Amino acid sequence: MKEIMDHPNVLNLIKHTLKKQNYVALNDIINLFLSIQKDSNVLTSKLKQLSDRTAPVTDFVWVEYLSGTAGKELLRRMGYEYVARNVFRKISGEHDELFELHIRYPKLVFSHETALYHHNLTNVLPRFTVCSVDINYNNQTLNNTPNLRVIRDKNFDVAENTVVMPTNQGNYAQFTNIYKTICDIMNPKYSVDEEIRSKVVIDYMKREDADHRKLLRMAKKEGVYEENLQIVEVVLNNES
């Protein structure tokens, strides 16, 4: 197997494939090798040599071999370092803090000012990263992460309240949806810059995709109906 992984054509193909990727999962490497084996002539002679003196090279053999230290070592040779959960990042590339938090703690959901910024409802960069988790979620490592504010929500419904969106670097993570985000910001119990709070509903209502009925349904569920209703009515009356 090592002969094949050291084959210059294979290494060049992997380098070309990963050239623009700052993050890569080990499964990506496994799938790439399986693709090379099936769809390319790059390995034809090497595979034949290997098969002639050992057992046939099957998909299972590749997966078993690359899932161990071989795939990780190959990525290290390519200039990647381990992040978490078999995901690696390019050492020389731009790091994506939100994506890395998402990989390390897949149950957290970016919310409040962080989600507001990614929904393009504010151009104010958050001073810290805010995330929401279920009230029963317990991870001391997450609690002690610098520059991270963790909100514990007893009514948090991941299926209803979240959406997968790209980070600034184009990697995907979970955020609260736009309705939940607005209601979180409008909640008087949450401490937020008043300038942000006073504008968020007005700015949302200016959008072409604004749906005030969905917003008010969420507001009623979240206990901030009056806070949202008053602003929504003013905007709608001004438009009529």
Side-chain angles (χ1 to χ4, degrees):
M1 288 285 193
K2 190 175 186 303
E3 293 180 34
I4 293 177
M5 291 179 67
D6 286 337
H7 192 284
N9 288 338
V10 175
L11 295 180
N12 288 336
L13 181 58
I14 295 172
K15 286 178 181 177
H16 176 75
T17 303
L18 302 182
K19 183 169 59 175
K20 295 183 179 179
Q21 292 183 224
N22 284 330
Y23 292 88
V24 61
L26 185 59
N27 279 344
D28 295 337
I29 292 296
I30 294 172
N31 291 333
L32 178 59
F33 266 81
L34 295 178
S35 175
I36 294 171
Q37 178 186 346
K38 291 176 180 177
D39 303 327
S40 171
N41 293 323
V42 171
L43 296 182
T44 300
S45 60
K46 283 290 181 182
L47 286 171
K48 187 175 186 307
Q49 291 172 22
L50 190 64
S51 298
D52 285 345
R53 61 178 186 270
T54 65
V57 181
T58 63
D59 286 2
F60 175 78
V61 172
W62 275 114
V63 172
E64 184 179 42
Y65 179 67
L66 291 168
S67 295
T69 58
K72 296 174 182 177
E73 178 58 28
L74 178 62
L75 282 165
R76 290 190 182 97
R77 286 167 57 190
M78 296 289 178
Y80 287 80
E81 62 184 355
Y82 186 72
V83 176
R85 299 177 181 272
N86 281 331
V87 174
F88 294 73
R89 68 182 171 203
K90 187 180 293 184
I91 296 173
S92 61
E94 184 180 9
H95 292 185
D96 187 337
E97 293 181 8
L98 294 189
F99 179 66
E100 291 186 21
L101 282 169
H102 167 70
I103 293 298
R104 292 190 177 103
Y105 310 104
K107 291 187 177 181
L108 71 79
V109 178
F110 298 110
S111 61
H112 297 78
E113 291 101 318
T114 301
L116 197 70
Y117 181 80
H118 283 81
H119 281 295
N120 296 316
L121 280 173
T122 179
N123 56 9
V124 179
L125 281 168
R127 289 177 290 119
F128 42 76
T129 300
V130 189
C131 71
S132 293
V133 294
D134 184 85
I135 195 168
N136 295 316
Y137 182 78
N138 185 25
N139 190 309
Q140 292 302 315
T141 306
L142 176 62
N143 294 339
N144 298 326
T145 302
N147 204 39
L148 182 68
R149 184 176 180 182
V150 181
I151 307 295
R152 300 189 178 278
D153 190 334
K154 65 179 179 180
N155 297 317
F156 198 74
D157 186 331
V158 173
E160 182 181 355
N161 295 339
T162 65
V163 62
V164 175
M165 298 195 306
T167 66
N168 288 342
Q169 285 77 25
N171 302 296
Y172 285 84
Q174 282 193 117
F175 295 81
T176 49
N177 65 34
I178 198 164
Y179 313 109
K180 171 67 170 168
T181 301
I182 293 171
C183 292
D184 285 340
I185 292 294
M186 294 300 291
N187 194 324
K189 296 179 181 178
Y190 182 73
S191 175
V192 68
D193 189 308
E194 282 303 321
E195 183 179 351
I196 291 177
R197 179 174 285 149
S198 64
K199 289 182 57 183
V200 61
V201 178
I202 294 173
D203 287 348
Y204 170 70
M205 291 293 292
K206 292 177 181 177
R207 293 166 61 133
E208 291 185 3
D209 60 347
D211 188 331
H212 70 276
R213 293 181 179 83
K214 285 186 178 180
L215 174 60
L216 292 176
R217 280 198 296 271
M218 178 67 75
K220 186 171 288 188
K221 180 181 177 182
E222 294 291 316
V224 290
Y225 185 77
E226 295 299 327
E227 289 85 350
N228 284 276
L229 176 62
Q230 184 177 3
I231 302 173
V232 167
E233 286 182 337
V234 170
V235 174
L236 290 176
N237 288 334
N238 288 340
E239 290 178 351
S240 60

